[in-house]
Structure formats: structure tokens, C-alpha cells
PDB file of all heavy atoms in Angstrom:
ATOM      1  N   ILE A 164      15.312  -2.920   3.973  1.00 93.00           N
ATOM      2  CA  ILE A 164      14.102  -2.146   3.695  1.00 93.00           C
ATOM      3  C   ILE A 164      14.462  -0.706   3.357  1.00 93.00           C
ATOM      4  O   ILE A 164      13.884  -0.099   2.447  1.00 93.00           O
ATOM      5  CB  ILE A 164      13.144  -2.214   4.909  1.00 93.00           C
ATOM      6  CG1 ILE A 164      12.561  -3.626   5.033  1.00 93.00           C
ATOM      7  CG2 ILE A 164      12.031  -1.184   4.780  1.00 93.00           C
ATOM      8  CD1 ILE A 164      11.740  -3.839   6.289  1.00 93.00           C
ATOM      9  N   GLU A 165      15.420  -0.154   4.066  1.00 94.00           N
ATOM     10  CA  GLU A 165      15.859   1.212   3.800  1.00 94.00           C
ATOM     11  C   GLU A 165      16.402   1.347   2.377  1.00 94.00           C
ATOM     12  O   GLU A 165      16.098   2.307   1.662  1.00 94.00           O
ATOM     13  CB  GLU A 165      16.928   1.602   4.828  1.00 94.00           C
ATOM     14  CG  GLU A 165      17.252   3.069   4.876  1.00 94.00           C
ATOM     15  CD  GLU A 165      18.213   3.390   6.002  1.00 94.00           C
ATOM     16  OE1 GLU A 165      19.426   3.129   5.849  1.00 94.00           O
ATOM     17  OE2 GLU A 165      17.758   3.875   7.053  1.00 94.00           O
ATOM     18  N   ARG A 166      17.219   0.384   1.949  1.00 95.00           N
ATOM     19  CA  ARG A 166      17.757   0.407   0.581  1.00 95.00           C
ATOM     20  C   ARG A 166      16.640   0.278  -0.441  1.00 95.00           C
ATOM     21  O   ARG A 166      16.611   0.997  -1.445  1.00 95.00           O
ATOM     22  CB  ARG A 166      18.765  -0.733   0.379  1.00 95.00           C
ATOM     23  CG  ARG A 166      20.079  -0.570   1.086  1.00 95.00           C
ATOM     24  CD  ARG A 166      21.110  -1.545   0.539  1.00 95.00           C
ATOM     25  NE  ARG A 166      20.631  -2.922   0.514  1.00 95.00           N
ATOM     26  CZ  ARG A 166      20.746  -3.779   1.525  1.00 95.00           C
ATOM     27  NH1 ARG A 166      21.305  -3.385   2.663  1.00 95.00           N
ATOM     28  NH2 ARG A 166      20.301  -5.037   1.418  1.00 95.00           N
ATOM     29  N   HIS A 167      15.723  -0.646  -0.199  1.00 95.00           N
ATOM     30  CA  HIS A 167      14.660  -0.895  -1.162  1.00 95.00           C
ATOM     31  C   HIS A 167      13.683   0.273  -1.240  1.00 95.00           C
ATOM     32  O   HIS A 167      13.148   0.564  -2.322  1.00 95.00           O
ATOM     33  CB  HIS A 167      13.923  -2.185  -0.803  1.00 95.00           C
ATOM     34  CG  HIS A 167      14.761  -3.411  -1.016  1.00 95.00           C
ATOM     35  ND1 HIS A 167      14.327  -4.684  -0.671  1.00 95.00           N
ATOM     36  CD2 HIS A 167      16.011  -3.567  -1.528  1.00 95.00           C
ATOM     37  CE1 HIS A 167      15.273  -5.559  -0.975  1.00 95.00           C
ATOM     38  NE2 HIS A 167      16.302  -4.905  -1.491  1.00 95.00           N
ATOM     39  N   LEU A 168      13.473   0.965  -0.119  1.00 95.00           N
ATOM     40  CA  LEU A 168      12.633   2.157  -0.151  1.00 95.00           C
ATOM     41  C   LEU A 168      13.278   3.252  -0.990  1.00 95.00           C
ATOM     42  O   LEU A 168      12.602   3.930  -1.771  1.00 95.00           O
ATOM     43  CB  LEU A 168      12.387   2.669   1.276  1.00 95.00           C
ATOM     44  CG  LEU A 168      11.323   1.933   2.089  1.00 95.00           C
ATOM     45  CD1 LEU A 168      11.303   2.439   3.521  1.00 95.00           C
ATOM     46  CD2 LEU A 168       9.949   2.095   1.458  1.00 95.00           C
ATOM     47  N   GLY A 169      14.576   3.414  -0.846  1.00 94.00           N
ATOM     48  CA  GLY A 169      15.278   4.411  -1.655  1.00 94.00           C
ATOM     49  C   GLY A 169      15.234   4.076  -3.127  1.00 94.00           C
ATOM     50  O   GLY A 169      15.126   4.957  -3.988  1.00 94.00           O
ATOM     51  N   ASP A 170      15.304   2.792  -3.438  1.00 95.00           N
ATOM     52  CA  ASP A 170      15.317   2.337  -4.824  1.00 95.00           C
ATOM     53  C   ASP A 170      13.933   2.392  -5.458  1.00 95.00           C
ATOM     54  O   ASP A 170      13.798   2.506  -6.685  1.00 95.00           O
ATOM     55  CB  ASP A 170      15.847   0.901  -4.865  1.00 95.00           C
ATOM     56  CG  ASP A 170      16.178   0.416  -6.256  1.00 95.00           C
ATOM     57  OD1 ASP A 170      16.605   1.247  -7.091  1.00 95.00           O
ATOM     58  OD2 ASP A 170      16.009  -0.776  -6.529  1.00 95.00           O
ATOM     59  N   ALA A 171      12.882   2.333  -4.641  1.00 96.00           N
ATOM     60  CA  ALA A 171      11.517   2.210  -5.164  1.00 96.00           C
ATOM     61  C   ALA A 171      10.976   3.498  -5.768  1.00 96.00           C
ATOM     62  O   ALA A 171      10.069   3.464  -6.591  1.00 96.00           O
ATOM     63  CB  ALA A 171      10.577   1.738  -4.054  1.00 96.00           C
ATOM     64  N   ARG A 172      11.497   4.638  -5.342  1.00 96.00           N
ATOM     65  CA  ARG A 172      11.051   5.940  -5.841  1.00 96.00           C
ATOM     66  C   ARG A 172       9.556   6.177  -5.595  1.00 96.00           C
ATOM     67  O   ARG A 172       8.846   6.722  -6.443  1.00 96.00           O
ATOM     68  CB  ARG A 172      11.357   6.097  -7.335  1.00 96.00           C
ATOM     69  CG  ARG A 172      12.834   6.049  -7.678  1.00 96.00           C
ATOM     70  CD  ARG A 172      13.585   7.205  -7.013  1.00 96.00           C
ATOM     71  NE  ARG A 172      14.953   7.330  -7.532  1.00 96.00           N
ATOM     72  CZ  ARG A 172      16.024   6.775  -7.000  1.00 96.00           C
ATOM     73  NH1 ARG A 172      15.867   5.988  -5.930  1.00 96.00           N
ATOM     74  NH2 ARG A 172      17.221   6.959  -7.507  1.00 96.00           N
ATOM     75  N   LEU A 173       9.078   5.757  -4.435  1.00 97.00           N
ATOM     76  CA  LEU A 173       7.681   5.985  -4.087  1.00 97.00           C
ATOM     77  C   LEU A 173       7.452   7.459  -3.763  1.00 97.00           C
ATOM     78  O   LEU A 173       8.305   8.097  -3.137  1.00 97.00           O
ATOM     79  CB  LEU A 173       7.290   5.145  -2.872  1.00 97.00           C
ATOM     80  CG  LEU A 173       7.285   3.627  -3.046  1.00 97.00           C
ATOM     81  CD1 LEU A 173       7.115   2.961  -1.687  1.00 97.00           C
ATOM     82  CD2 LEU A 173       6.182   3.193  -3.995  1.00 97.00           C
ATOM     83  N   PRO A 174       6.310   8.020  -4.152  1.00 95.00           N
ATOM     84  CA  PRO A 174       5.998   9.386  -3.729  1.00 95.00           C
ATOM     85  C   PRO A 174       5.857   9.426  -2.216  1.00 95.00           C
ATOM     86  O   PRO A 174       5.286   8.504  -1.622  1.00 95.00           O
ATOM     87  CB  PRO A 174       4.680   9.695  -4.436  1.00 95.00           C
ATOM     88  CG  PRO A 174       4.102   8.370  -4.790  1.00 95.00           C
ATOM     89  CD  PRO A 174       5.253   7.433  -4.991  1.00 95.00           C
ATOM     90  N   PRO A 175       6.377  10.446  -1.555  1.00 94.00           N
ATOM     91  CA  PRO A 175       6.375  10.471  -0.086  1.00 94.00           C
ATOM     92  C   PRO A 175       4.981  10.675   0.502  1.00 94.00           C
ATOM     93  O   PRO A 175       4.097  11.285  -0.102  1.00 94.00           O
ATOM     94  CB  PRO A 175       7.288  11.658   0.238  1.00 94.00           C
ATOM     95  CG  PRO A 175       7.178  12.558  -0.964  1.00 94.00           C
ATOM     96  CD  PRO A 175       7.032  11.632  -2.140  1.00 94.00           C
ATOM     97  N   GLY A 176       4.807  10.132   1.706  1.00 92.00           N
ATOM     98  CA  GLY A 176       3.600  10.391   2.475  1.00 92.00           C
ATOM     99  C   GLY A 176       2.375   9.596   2.078  1.00 92.00           C
ATOM    100  O   GLY A 176       1.289   9.827   2.616  1.00 92.00           O
ATOM    101  N   LYS A 177       2.520   8.663   1.142  1.00 95.00           N
ATOM    102  CA  LYS A 177       1.368   7.889   0.680  1.00 95.00           C
ATOM    103  C   LYS A 177       1.332   6.551   1.412  1.00 95.00           C
ATOM    104  O   LYS A 177       2.057   5.628   1.073  1.00 95.00           O
ATOM    105  CB  LYS A 177       1.424   7.660  -0.832  1.00 95.00           C
ATOM    106  CG  LYS A 177       1.633   8.931  -1.652  1.00 95.00           C
ATOM    107  CD  LYS A 177       0.502   9.934  -1.445  1.00 95.00           C
ATOM    108  CE  LYS A 177       0.676  11.133  -2.363  1.00 95.00           C
ATOM    109  NZ  LYS A 177      -0.342  12.169  -2.112  1.00 95.00           N
ATOM    110  N   THR A 178       0.511   6.466   2.436  1.00 96.00           N
ATOM    111  CA  THR A 178       0.414   5.252   3.240  1.00 96.00           C
ATOM    112  C   THR A 178      -1.040   4.793   3.296  1.00 96.00           C
ATOM    113  O   THR A 178      -1.961   5.547   2.979  1.00 96.00           O
ATOM    114  CB  THR A 178       0.913   5.495   4.672  1.00 96.00           C
ATOM    115  OG1 THR A 178       0.010   6.397   5.327  1.00 96.00           O
ATOM    116  CG2 THR A 178       2.316   6.106   4.680  1.00 96.00           C
ATOM    117  N   LEU A 179      -1.248   3.558   3.736  1.00 95.00           N
ATOM    118  CA  LEU A 179      -2.609   3.070   3.897  1.00 95.00           C
ATOM    119  C   LEU A 179      -3.333   3.832   5.003  1.00 95.00           C
ATOM    120  O   LEU A 179      -4.541   4.066   4.921  1.00 95.00           O
ATOM    121  CB  LEU A 179      -2.603   1.576   4.210  1.00 95.00           C
ATOM    122  CG  LEU A 179      -2.192   0.648   3.059  1.00 95.00           C
ATOM    123  CD1 LEU A 179      -2.240  -0.804   3.525  1.00 95.00           C
ATOM    124  CD2 LEU A 179      -3.085   0.835   1.838  1.00 95.00           C
ATOM    125  N   ASP A 180      -2.606   4.230   6.035  1.00 94.00           N
ATOM    126  CA  ASP A 180      -3.244   4.964   7.135  1.00 94.00           C
ATOM    127  C   ASP A 180      -3.760   6.321   6.673  1.00 94.00           C
ATOM    128  O   ASP A 180      -4.744   6.828   7.218  1.00 94.00           O
ATOM    129  CB  ASP A 180      -2.249   5.157   8.287  1.00 94.00           C
ATOM    130  CG  ASP A 180      -2.005   3.871   9.055  1.00 94.00           C
ATOM    131  OD1 ASP A 180      -2.845   2.952   8.951  1.00 94.00           O
ATOM    132  OD2 ASP A 180      -0.960   3.769   9.728  1.00 94.00           O
ATOM    133  N   SER A 181      -3.085   6.931   5.693  1.00 94.00           N
ATOM    134  CA  SER A 181      -3.515   8.248   5.227  1.00 94.00           C
ATOM    135  C   SER A 181      -4.457   8.174   4.029  1.00 94.00           C
ATOM    136  O   SER A 181      -4.891   9.206   3.514  1.00 94.00           O
ATOM    137  CB  SER A 181      -2.292   9.106   4.860  1.00 94.00           C
ATOM    138  OG  SER A 181      -1.554   8.526   3.788  1.00 94.00           O
ATOM    139  N   PHE A 182      -4.779   6.954   3.571  1.00 94.00           N
ATOM    140  CA  PHE A 182      -5.702   6.809   2.449  1.00 94.00           C
ATOM    141  C   PHE A 182      -7.135   6.851   2.956  1.00 94.00           C
ATOM    142  O   PHE A 182      -7.486   6.179   3.934  1.00 94.00           O
ATOM    143  CB  PHE A 182      -5.457   5.487   1.718  1.00 94.00           C
ATOM    144  CG  PHE A 182      -6.338   5.292   0.505  1.00 94.00           C
ATOM    145  CD1 PHE A 182      -6.089   5.989  -0.664  1.00 94.00           C
ATOM    146  CD2 PHE A 182      -7.407   4.415   0.546  1.00 94.00           C
ATOM    147  CE1 PHE A 182      -6.899   5.823  -1.780  1.00 94.00           C
ATOM    148  CE2 PHE A 182      -8.214   4.235  -0.557  1.00 94.00           C
ATOM    149  CZ  PHE A 182      -7.967   4.946  -1.729  1.00 94.00           C
ATOM    150  N   ALA A 183      -7.983   7.646   2.285  1.00 91.00           N
ATOM    151  CA  ALA A 183      -9.369   7.839   2.732  1.00 91.00           C
ATOM    152  C   ALA A 183     -10.253   6.714   2.200  1.00 91.00           C
ATOM    153  O   ALA A 183     -10.954   6.869   1.197  1.00 91.00           O
ATOM    154  CB  ALA A 183      -9.880   9.196   2.281  1.00 91.00           C
ATOM    155  N   PHE A 184     -10.242   5.582   2.889  1.00 92.00           N
ATOM    156  CA  PHE A 184     -11.067   4.455   2.456  1.00 92.00           C
ATOM    157  C   PHE A 184     -12.553   4.801   2.478  1.00 92.00           C
ATOM    158  O   PHE A 184     -13.328   4.291   1.654  1.00 92.00           O
ATOM    159  CB  PHE A 184     -10.816   3.230   3.343  1.00 92.00           C
ATOM    160  CG  PHE A 184      -9.566   2.478   3.004  1.00 92.00           C
ATOM    161  CD1 PHE A 184      -8.384   2.724   3.682  1.00 92.00           C
ATOM    162  CD2 PHE A 184      -9.559   1.519   1.995  1.00 92.00           C
ATOM    163  CE1 PHE A 184      -7.220   2.027   3.375  1.00 92.00           C
ATOM    164  CE2 PHE A 184      -8.414   0.825   1.676  1.00 92.00           C
ATOM    165  CZ  PHE A 184      -7.240   1.075   2.370  1.00 92.00           C
ATOM    166  N   ASP A 185     -12.960   5.685   3.395  1.00 90.00           N
ATOM    167  CA  ASP A 185     -14.379   6.034   3.471  1.00 90.00           C
ATOM    168  C   ASP A 185     -14.836   6.813   2.248  1.00 90.00           C
ATOM    169  O   ASP A 185     -16.031   6.821   1.924  1.00 90.00           O
ATOM    170  CB  ASP A 185     -14.648   6.847   4.750  1.00 90.00           C
ATOM    171  CG  ASP A 185     -13.785   8.099   4.842  1.00 90.00           C
ATOM    172  OD1 ASP A 185     -12.737   8.152   4.172  1.00 90.00           O
ATOM    173  OD2 ASP A 185     -14.161   9.021   5.592  1.00 90.00           O
ATOM    174  N   ALA A 186     -13.904   7.457   1.536  1.00 89.00           N
ATOM    175  CA  ALA A 186     -14.258   8.205   0.334  1.00 89.00           C
ATOM    176  C   ALA A 186     -14.304   7.312  -0.904  1.00 89.00           C
ATOM    177  O   ALA A 186     -14.737   7.745  -1.967  1.00 89.00           O
ATOM    178  CB  ALA A 186     -13.267   9.344   0.108  1.00 89.00           C
ATOM    179  N   VAL A 187     -13.820   6.087  -0.761  1.00 90.00           N
ATOM    180  CA  VAL A 187     -13.814   5.135  -1.888  1.00 90.00           C
ATOM    181  C   VAL A 187     -14.480   3.852  -1.384  1.00 90.00           C
ATOM    182  O   VAL A 187     -13.818   2.836  -1.156  1.00 90.00           O
ATOM    183  CB  VAL A 187     -12.374   4.858  -2.374  1.00 90.00           C
ATOM    184  CG1 VAL A 187     -12.394   4.140  -3.724  1.00 90.00           C
ATOM    185  CG2 VAL A 187     -11.576   6.141  -2.491  1.00 90.00           C
ATOM    186  N   PRO A 188     -15.794   3.875  -1.206  1.00 90.00           N
ATOM    187  CA  PRO A 188     -16.480   2.753  -0.553  1.00 90.00           C
ATOM    188  C   PRO A 188     -16.403   1.438  -1.315  1.00 90.00           C
ATOM    189  O   PRO A 188     -16.626   0.370  -0.728  1.00 90.00           O
ATOM    190  CB  PRO A 188     -17.935   3.248  -0.461  1.00 90.00           C
ATOM    191  CG  PRO A 188     -18.059   4.306  -1.509  1.00 90.00           C
ATOM    192  CD  PRO A 188     -16.720   4.962  -1.576  1.00 90.00           C
ATOM    193  N   MET A 189     -16.075   1.512  -2.613  1.00 90.00           N
ATOM    194  CA  MET A 189     -15.997   0.256  -3.376  1.00 90.00           C
ATOM    195  C   MET A 189     -14.683  -0.495  -3.130  1.00 90.00           C
ATOM    196  O   MET A 189     -14.498  -1.616  -3.600  1.00 90.00           O
ATOM    197  CB  MET A 189     -16.164   0.525  -4.877  1.00 90.00           C
ATOM    198  CG  MET A 189     -15.053   1.345  -5.522  1.00 90.00           C
ATOM    199  SD  MET A 189     -15.123   3.109  -5.112  1.00 90.00           S
ATOM    200  CE  MET A 189     -16.678   3.576  -5.833  1.00 90.00           C
ATOM    201  N   ILE A 190     -13.758   0.108  -2.377  1.00 92.00           N
ATOM    202  CA  ILE A 190     -12.486  -0.530  -2.060  1.00 92.00           C
ATOM    203  C   ILE A 190     -12.529  -1.066  -0.636  1.00 92.00           C
ATOM    204  O   ILE A 190     -12.788  -0.318   0.311  1.00 92.00           O
ATOM    205  CB  ILE A 190     -11.314   0.461  -2.213  1.00 92.00           C
ATOM    206  CG1 ILE A 190     -11.244   1.003  -3.644  1.00 92.00           C
ATOM    207  CG2 ILE A 190     -10.003  -0.218  -1.848  1.00 92.00           C
ATOM    208  CD1 ILE A 190     -10.992  -0.047  -4.690  1.00 92.00           C
ATOM    209  N   SER A 191     -12.281  -2.353  -0.480  1.00 92.00           N
ATOM    210  CA  SER A 191     -12.286  -2.981   0.835  1.00 92.00           C
ATOM    211  C   SER A 191     -10.912  -2.858   1.477  1.00 92.00           C
ATOM    212  O   SER A 191      -9.921  -3.308   0.911  1.00 92.00           O
ATOM    213  CB  SER A 191     -12.667  -4.455   0.703  1.00 92.00           C
ATOM    214  OG  SER A 191     -12.312  -5.176   1.858  1.00 92.00           O
ATOM    215  N   ARG A 192     -10.880  -2.247   2.650  1.00 94.00           N
ATOM    216  CA  ARG A 192      -9.610  -2.142   3.369  1.00 94.00           C
ATOM    217  C   ARG A 192      -9.045  -3.522   3.673  1.00 94.00           C
ATOM    218  O   ARG A 192      -7.828  -3.738   3.592  1.00 94.00           O
ATOM    219  CB  ARG A 192      -9.790  -1.349   4.662  1.00 94.00           C
ATOM    220  CG  ARG A 192      -8.463  -1.064   5.363  1.00 94.00           C
ATOM    221  CD  ARG A 192      -8.642  -0.323   6.672  1.00 94.00           C
ATOM    222  NE  ARG A 192      -7.350   0.148   7.142  1.00 94.00           N
ATOM    223  CZ  ARG A 192      -7.004   1.406   7.262  1.00 94.00           C
ATOM    224  NH1 ARG A 192      -7.865   2.369   6.944  1.00 94.00           N
ATOM    225  NH2 ARG A 192      -5.804   1.755   7.689  1.00 94.00           N
ATOM    226  N   ALA A 193      -9.906  -4.476   4.019  1.00 95.00           N
ATOM    227  CA  ALA A 193      -9.444  -5.822   4.334  1.00 95.00           C
ATOM    228  C   ALA A 193      -8.801  -6.473   3.111  1.00 95.00           C
ATOM    229  O   ALA A 193      -7.767  -7.142   3.222  1.00 95.00           O
ATOM    230  CB  ALA A 193     -10.617  -6.666   4.831  1.00 95.00           C
ATOM    231  N   GLN A 194      -9.388  -6.282   1.938  1.00 95.00           N
ATOM    232  CA  GLN A 194      -8.817  -6.864   0.724  1.00 95.00           C
ATOM    233  C   GLN A 194      -7.472  -6.230   0.390  1.00 95.00           C
ATOM    234  O   GLN A 194      -6.519  -6.924   0.017  1.00 95.00           O
ATOM    235  CB  GLN A 194      -9.769  -6.696  -0.457  1.00 95.00           C
ATOM    236  CG  GLN A 194      -9.278  -7.380  -1.740  1.00 95.00           C
ATOM    237  CD  GLN A 194     -10.242  -7.216  -2.897  1.00 95.00           C
ATOM    238  OE1 GLN A 194     -11.181  -6.418  -2.833  1.00 95.00           O
ATOM    239  NE2 GLN A 194     -10.022  -7.955  -3.972  1.00 95.00           N
ATOM    240  N   VAL A 195      -7.385  -4.908   0.533  1.00 96.00           N
ATOM    241  CA  VAL A 195      -6.118  -4.219   0.265  1.00 96.00           C
ATOM    242  C   VAL A 195      -5.044  -4.687   1.247  1.00 96.00           C
ATOM    243  O   VAL A 195      -3.898  -4.940   0.862  1.00 96.00           O
ATOM    244  CB  VAL A 195      -6.306  -2.694   0.347  1.00 96.00           C
ATOM    245  CG1 VAL A 195      -4.961  -1.982   0.306  1.00 96.00           C
ATOM    246  CG2 VAL A 195      -7.188  -2.206  -0.801  1.00 96.00           C
ATOM    247  N   THR A 196      -5.417  -4.817   2.515  1.00 96.00           N
ATOM    248  CA  THR A 196      -4.463  -5.275   3.524  1.00 96.00           C
ATOM    249  C   THR A 196      -3.954  -6.670   3.194  1.00 96.00           C
ATOM    250  O   THR A 196      -2.760  -6.967   3.343  1.00 96.00           O
ATOM    251  CB  THR A 196      -5.122  -5.266   4.911  1.00 96.00           C
ATOM    252  OG1 THR A 196      -5.559  -3.938   5.227  1.00 96.00           O
ATOM    253  CG2 THR A 196      -4.140  -5.730   5.975  1.00 96.00           C
ATOM    254  N   ALA A 197      -4.840  -7.533   2.713  1.00 96.00           N
ATOM    255  CA  ALA A 197      -4.422  -8.881   2.325  1.00 96.00           C
ATOM    256  C   ALA A 197      -3.455  -8.833   1.149  1.00 96.00           C
ATOM    257  O   ALA A 197      -2.466  -9.568   1.111  1.00 96.00           O
ATOM    258  CB  ALA A 197      -5.651  -9.720   1.973  1.00 96.00           C
ATOM    259  N   LEU A 198      -3.714  -7.946   0.189  1.00 96.00           N
ATOM    260  CA  LEU A 198      -2.817  -7.810  -0.967  1.00 96.00           C
ATOM    261  C   LEU A 198      -1.429  -7.332  -0.532  1.00 96.00           C
ATOM    262  O   LEU A 198      -0.423  -7.674  -1.157  1.00 96.00           O
ATOM    263  CB  LEU A 198      -3.410  -6.829  -1.981  1.00 96.00           C
ATOM    264  CG  LEU A 198      -4.608  -7.320  -2.789  1.00 96.00           C
ATOM    265  CD1 LEU A 198      -5.231  -6.159  -3.559  1.00 96.00           C
ATOM    266  CD2 LEU A 198      -4.195  -8.431  -3.751  1.00 96.00           C
ATOM    267  N   CYS A 199      -1.386  -6.546   0.531  1.00 96.00           N
ATOM    268  CA  CYS A 199      -0.113  -5.965   0.971  1.00 96.00           C
ATOM    269  C   CYS A 199       0.843  -7.004   1.554  1.00 96.00           C
ATOM    270  O   CYS A 199       2.030  -6.702   1.740  1.00 96.00           O
ATOM    271  CB  CYS A 199      -0.374  -4.866   2.001  1.00 96.00           C
ATOM    272  SG  CYS A 199      -1.078  -3.374   1.273  1.00 96.00           S
ATOM    273  N   SER A 200       0.361  -8.191   1.840  1.00 95.00           N
ATOM    274  CA  SER A 200       1.281  -9.240   2.285  1.00 95.00           C
ATOM    275  C   SER A 200       2.098  -9.763   1.104  1.00 95.00           C
ATOM    276  O   SER A 200       3.214 -10.262   1.271  1.00 95.00           O
ATOM    277  CB  SER A 200       0.507 -10.389   2.930  1.00 95.00           C
ATOM    278  OG  SER A 200      -0.216 -11.127   1.942  1.00 95.00           O
ATOM    279  N   GLY A 201       1.516  -9.655  -0.099  1.00 94.00           N
ATOM    280  CA  GLY A 201       2.199 -10.143  -1.306  1.00 94.00           C
ATOM    281  C   GLY A 201       2.035 -11.627  -1.543  1.00 94.00           C
ATOM    282  O   GLY A 201       2.281 -12.110  -2.653  1.00 94.00           O
ATOM    283  N   ASP A 202       1.634 -12.354  -0.528  1.00 91.00           N
ATOM    284  CA  ASP A 202       1.502 -13.807  -0.651  1.00 91.00           C
ATOM    285  C   ASP A 202       0.344 -14.162  -1.585  1.00 91.00           C
ATOM    286  O   ASP A 202      -0.726 -13.562  -1.528  1.00 91.00           O
ATOM    287  CB  ASP A 202       1.259 -14.442   0.718  1.00 91.00           C
ATOM    288  CG  ASP A 202       2.405 -14.175   1.688  1.00 91.00           C
ATOM    289  OD1 ASP A 202       3.539 -14.025   1.207  1.00 91.00           O
ATOM    290  OD2 ASP A 202       2.160 -14.098   2.905  1.00 91.00           O
ATOM    291  N   GLY A 203       0.579 -15.154  -2.425  1.00 90.00           N
ATOM    292  CA  GLY A 203      -0.487 -15.648  -3.264  1.00 90.00           C
ATOM    293  C   GLY A 203      -0.657 -14.958  -4.591  1.00 90.00           C
ATOM    294  O   GLY A 203      -1.365 -15.447  -5.457  1.00 90.00           O
ATOM    295  N   TRP A 204      -0.011 -13.810  -4.782  1.00 96.00           N
ATOM    296  CA  TRP A 204      -0.136 -13.173  -6.104  1.00 96.00           C
ATOM    297  C   TRP A 204       1.197 -12.720  -6.680  1.00 96.00           C
ATOM    298  O   TRP A 204       1.449 -12.889  -7.868  1.00 96.00           O
ATOM    299  CB  TRP A 204      -1.146 -12.022  -6.080  1.00 96.00           C
ATOM    300  CG  TRP A 204      -0.782 -10.811  -5.262  1.00 96.00           C
ATOM    301  CD1 TRP A 204      -0.744 -10.717  -3.913  1.00 96.00           C
ATOM    302  CD2 TRP A 204      -0.443  -9.514  -5.770  1.00 96.00           C
ATOM    303  NE1 TRP A 204      -0.386  -9.438  -3.524  1.00 96.00           N
ATOM    304  CE2 TRP A 204      -0.208  -8.673  -4.643  1.00 96.00           C
ATOM    305  CE3 TRP A 204      -0.316  -8.966  -7.044  1.00 96.00           C
ATOM    306  CZ2 TRP A 204       0.146  -7.332  -4.779  1.00 96.00           C
ATOM    307  CZ3 TRP A 204       0.030  -7.623  -7.171  1.00 96.00           C
ATOM    308  CH2 TRP A 204       0.257  -6.820  -6.050  1.00 96.00           C
ATOM    309  N   LEU A 205       2.097 -12.212  -5.850  1.00 96.00           N
ATOM    310  CA  LEU A 205       3.397 -11.800  -6.394  1.00 96.00           C
ATOM    311  C   LEU A 205       4.215 -13.005  -6.856  1.00 96.00           C
ATOM    312  O   LEU A 205       4.957 -12.920  -7.836  1.00 96.00           O
ATOM    313  CB  LEU A 205       4.172 -10.986  -5.365  1.00 96.00           C
ATOM    314  CG  LEU A 205       3.638  -9.586  -5.057  1.00 96.00           C
ATOM    315  CD1 LEU A 205       4.548  -8.866  -4.087  1.00 96.00           C
ATOM    316  CD2 LEU A 205       3.445  -8.766  -6.317  1.00 96.00           C
TER     317      LEU A 205
END
């Protein structure tokens, strides 16, 4: 995971916990969480 994080070049500090779901009411936290497993679509 450490290697893959370094390789991914993600902008720092961007996590689901810090995302303001209440400011984007059309986005379901449950749906996003399900997508984060990767199963069924990747």
C-alpha cells in the first residue's frame, strides 16, 4: 500500500472523512463507500 500510494500521485489530505458530504446532498455517502471497495465495477 505504501508503494502504491507513492506511485498514485494523489493530492495530499483528500479523504472521505474530510469530504463535506452535507454540502453535496446529491452524493450518497453510502454509495461512495460501496464504490470504494472496488468490487463489481473495477
Side-chain angles (χ1 to χ4, degrees):
I164 290 173
E165 193 174 78
R166 288 195 308 272
H167 291 176
L168 281 173
D170 192 33
R172 298 298 191 267
L173 294 170
K177 308 299 185 184
T178 67
L179 290 180
D180 286 341
S181 62
F182 182 75
F184 281 95
D185 56 339
V187 193
M189 65 285 297
I190 301 298
S191 163
R192 187 182 191 115
Q194 184 179 12
V195 170
T196 301
L198 287 170
C199 288
S200 71
D202 300 331
W204 67 288
L205 290 183

